[in-house]
Each structure stands twice: as structure tokens, then as C-alpha cells.
Amino acid sequence: MKKFIQLFSFLIIVFVVFSCGGKNYKEIMAPVEKKFYAGKFKEAGRMLLSCVNKDGRNQLICMMEAGYLLHAGGEFDLSNKIFLKADKVASYKPLSITKQVAAFLTNQSKTNYRGEDFELVLMHYFTGMNFIMKTKYESARVEFKKVNNLMKKMRTQQKKAYKQNIMAKYMTAVSNELLGDTEDDKAQKTSLYEYAYIELKQIQKLRPNLRMVYGDLQRMAKKAGYDEDIGKWARFGRVNDPEDAGEFVFVYESGKGAVKASRGKLMKTLGVKVRLYVNRINYKSAVKIAVLAALAKADNPIPVFRKRSNKAKYIRLRVNERTYRTIMLENIERTALKNLKEQYSTLAGKAVIGIVTKVAISVAAGLAAKAAAKKAGGKIGMFSGLIGGVVGGATAAALVSSIRPDLRCWRTLPANLQLSRIILPPGSHQVTYEYVGYGGQVLGSKTINVRIAKGKKYFYQLRTLN
């Protein structure tokens, strides 16, 4: 009897642990997002500073959100202070499939957020962009190279099907060029231009239909001293820039990124796998029926990324009676959707085995406890049904209630990253940019004044939320 009481107490504790918890992350982010989507980027970022500075399960995701919000709001120094600390908190150590599946048997939102692969990559990209905006080009180059190195590690060591981040590679080339432009030593200057040229050649190989890269290749071949290469890159039109020209670099962070959502109930999304495995278990039919009944209440523990509506397709720019447009170099939304899809079949199969086994054991334990209590007779036997229900049903219920997807994700990310590079003569220029929808319609426009210095680049960042 004493053992039954101890077990009963343990189950109550388990149930309380699984049931307790404060606000979920979506609730924490609700007022922050409201401020963000009202265009108050800096204010939204500062709302998360207390979470950023507090150790806990949401610290890393708070850092990602706050770092980006401050980046979008132009507070580049504070943004980088947070991102650089976040990189240390993340301490990127990929989980094995086995450990990922084990995590699905508990409520993952109660554990430390580790970040999706593409989120950890993007932290370095935005850190690099912050350094670019602060004219710290060497630090920017380091961060952009980290993006490419991390993705290479994911492909080679973890066998993941990720491609290069073209936007980060482009900005690696740009940062090398910027360093070359500021270098006094002729040999070092040429070497930096060569690094930029190599990056651009790799981009051309990865995206041969990317027309804008051919002009950049001609310019950089000339700077690096590869005059014999200029002709082969002129297939889409030769560029003849004035010697004293500067450049207007328009960086466009477009729309709302994909966010995590539930796939639905376990039996509706993985019912075939569940039933197949349940039928393999060597238990009585009563146990199997009880297991299926318990699992009918469980959620699929593996989330899915869902797109959000985005109205603007690209930005059209008008300057000096000429028209340009932004080109998408990184589709964050598509990467997010692929992120969980890639391993879903493997994760789902192993998760089903673990979940069904745990629930089956708890139900079987209940039947065994009921039989043992009945056999004991006397007062214990009178409560055999209750004891069996507590041991089996309560444990199964507690376990099932804990199986749910972790919907935490970097919610303020843009859907994609776009770029336009425009060569301009020195002086003041009026630039009008228009938001162009997917049907070709103009959704809105704005005119800005920019001043281009001889041989210098002027960076302008824009984030849209629709």
C-alpha cells in the first residue's frame, strides 16, 4: 500500500510539473509585435531587453528578436552588442536525431531555445550588416564569412541540403571591396579585390542567371587586375563606369517571415504510423485500445513553418531618369519551410515509436497495478479500479498533455533579402523608390535625397512589413 501511495504522489508531482507555466513565447511577443508592426522598431526592441539580460529558456530567442528589431530601427551598436552575446549563448552544437526525438517526449517550450539552423546563420548576417552600417568593414567581413563557413559545416558534417546564402556571399564580396578601397598598401589592396572577385565568381557559378553579378564581375576584374576576364563577363552588357563614380547600395528586407504552427493532432497527421506501431506491441487488446484513446488527445510534437501574406514583390528605384529594381538574393521564408521538412520523415517515425512506447507502458502499468491491488484483497482490493486508473490513466494523461510542438521562432524576420547596386556620379541625387506588388501594381512610393562621394558606397536599408 505504501508503494502505491508513493507512486500516486509521484504522478501528481509529474502532472503539476507538466501543467504549470507562465505565458508562452507568442504571448510575450504579442505587445512587442504590435509595436513593431506599427513601425516603432527601436521601441519594440527595447521592450525585450529585460528578457535579453535574464538567463532562462527564452533568452536566446529574445536576443534574436531584440537584436533584429534594433537593427531595423538603426541602433546598430546595441543590436550588435546583443547579437555577439547571443552567438556565445547559442554555442552551436547540433543535436543528434536521437536527442531531438527524446526532446519531443516533453514540452519543448519549457526547455532552453536553441535556434533553428537558418536562424543561427542569420544572426551573423545581421551582425555583419550592422558593422557595414557603422563602416567597420573588417568586422563585417568576418561575420559574413562566418555565415558561409557555418553553412558549409552544415552541408559537409551534418549532411544537410543547405545551399550557400547568396546575400551573405554578396556582402562578403562588398566588404572585401570596401576594405580594398580604404587600403593604402597596393599589394594588400589588390589582394582584397581578388577575394571580392573570387566571391563574385562563386556567386555566378551558383546563380548563372543572376544578371546583376556580371556587371559586378567586370568592375571587380578591373580593380583586381584581371583585364583579360572583363570581356567574358560582358555577355549581358559591358559596363563603363566613370573613374570617379560612387555607388548607391539599396538593401531591402521584405515582408513577414514564416512562423511555426502546429501540424494538428498526432492521430490525424501520423495516425498510420501510430497504428502500425501500436499493432506491433505485444500487449492485450485492452491496452492497445487504451493507448489509442490516450494518443487521440496528443498533438504532433513536430511543428511546421507557415507562410504569412506579403504584398510587395520588389522595389523599383528611379534616379537620374533611369529605372532599377531590387533582386532577391536570399529567400528566408523558403529556407524556413525546408528547415523542418528535410528531416520530418525520420523525426516523425522515431518520435512515434518513443511516444507510443511511453504511453503503452503507462497504460500497462495501470492494468498491472489494478490486478495487483485486486489480488491483495481487503481494503486495497476495493480500490483496485481507482489505483489502476491513477497509475495508468494519470500517467498517460500527464505524458500526453506534455506532448506538444514548440512554436517559438524568430517572428520578426523578413520573408526575404533583396539588393540593388546603382553606380552614380558624385553629388546629390533624388531617389524615388516604389513598392511593386505581385500583380505589377505600385503599392506606394517614397523619395529620398542621397549624397554620393567620389569612389564611395552609400548604403540604405529598408524594411517593409506588408
Side-chain angles (χ1 to χ4, degrees), residues 8 11 362 365-367 369-370 383-397:
F8 178 83
L11 291 170
S362 67
L367 293 178
K370 179 179 179 180
F383 297 101
S384 60
L386 176 61
I387 291 171
V390 167
V391 176
T395 307

Side-chain angles (χ1 to χ4, degrees), residues 85-364:
K85 183 180 177 182
D87 185 37
K88 295 179 181 178
V89 171
S91 300
Y92 186 71
K93 295 178 181 178
L95 280 175
S96 67
I97 290 290
T98 302
K99 289 182 178 179
Q100 281 179 281
V101 171
F104 290 143
L105 300 180
T106 61
N107 185 347
Q108 292 183 90
S109 64
K110 305 300 182 186
T111 63
N112 288 343
Y113 188 76
R114 301 180 66 259
E116 299 292 344
D117 290 339
F118 75 94
E119 293 175 339
L120 300 175
V121 165
L122 286 170
M123 283 201 305
H124 293 295
Y125 167 77
F126 289 118
T127 303
M129 285 307 304
N130 285 336
F131 281 130
I132 285 282
M133 300 305 289
K134 297 297 293 184
T135 68
K136 296 179 180 179
Y137 304 134
E138 177 58 40
S139 296
R141 181 175 68 158
V142 169
E143 291 301 320
F144 294 133
K145 288 296 289 183
K146 283 181 180 179
V147 171
N148 299 321
N149 292 338
L150 184 51
M151 296 196 76
K152 182 179 179 180
K153 180 180 179 181
M154 290 175 183
R155 291 194 308 275
T156 57
Q157 296 182 18
Q158 301 167 40
K159 308 302 180 185
K160 294 183 177 180
Y162 293 136
K163 297 180 180 179
Q164 287 282 12
N165 184 310
I166 299 297
M167 187 69 168
K169 287 192 73 64
Y170 233 114
M171 295 313 298
T172 305
V174 169
S175 56
N176 275 299
E177 183 183 357
L178 286 164
L179 285 168
D181 290 344
T182 58
E183 180 62 56
D184 293 325
D185 183 88
K186 186 175 181 181
Q188 184 65 20
K189 179 186 287 284
T190 301
S191 179
L192 288 163
Y193 289 150
E194 286 178 347
Y195 290 144
Y197 185 51
I198 290 168
E199 290 290 342
L200 290 169
K201 286 200 296 183
Q202 290 175 355
I203 291 169
Q204 186 275 332
K205 188 175 181 180
L206 291 165
R207 295 270 297 273
N209 294 327
L210 189 63
R211 293 176 63 93
M212 64 185 286
V213 75
Y214 293 98
D216 298 322
L217 281 164
Q218 291 177 63
R219 297 184 188 98
M220 203 49 53
K222 183 178 180 180
K223 284 188 174 185
Y226 291 96
D227 293 341
E228 67 278 8
D229 285 0
I230 295 175
K232 74 176 183 179
W233 302 125
R235 68 188 78 176
F236 288 105
R238 184 177 293 274
V239 297
N240 294 295
D241 302 327
E243 287 294 328
D244 61 351
E247 186 175 5
F248 178 60
V249 183
F250 191 93
V251 181
Y252 178 35
E253 299 169 1
S254 173
K256 301 176 183 177
V259 293
K260 287 180 182 175
S262 172
R263 293 177 185 267
K265 292 296 181 182
L266 183 68
M267 293 302 293
K268 287 186 177 181
T269 54
L270 288 171
V272 174
K273 288 181 181 288
V274 170
R275 289 185 179 88
L276 281 173
Y277 189 68
V278 168
N279 289 332
R280 294 176 187 172
I281 301 174
N282 188 24
Y283 286 134
K284 296 178 180 179
S285 59
V287 175
K288 294 181 179 181
I289 293 171
V291 167
L292 290 172
L295 291 173
K297 300 176 182 179
D299 292 322
N300 187 322
I302 309 170
V304 64
F305 273 100
R306 303 287 188 200
K307 292 182 179 181
R308 292 189 281 182
S309 60
N310 294 305
K311 297 178 181 178
K313 185 178 182 180
Y314 63 89
I315 296 293
R316 182 162 55 221
L317 301 109
R318 303 183 189 277
V319 55
N320 296 342
E321 299 183 350
R322 295 191 65 181
T323 301
Y324 308 85
R325 61 157 291 177
T326 57
I327 303 297
M328 186 193 301
L329 296 182
E330 181 62 25
N331 192 329
I332 298 173
E333 183 179 65
R334 183 169 60 195
T335 301
L337 268 63
K338 289 177 64 178
N339 188 70
L340 291 177
K341 184 178 180 181
E342 185 184 66
Q343 297 186 63
Y344 179 69
S345 295
T346 302
L347 287 172
K350 292 183 178 293
V352 163
I353 292 172
I355 291 168
V356 171
T357 300
K358 294 285 187 180
V359 174
I361 289 172
S362 67
V363 172

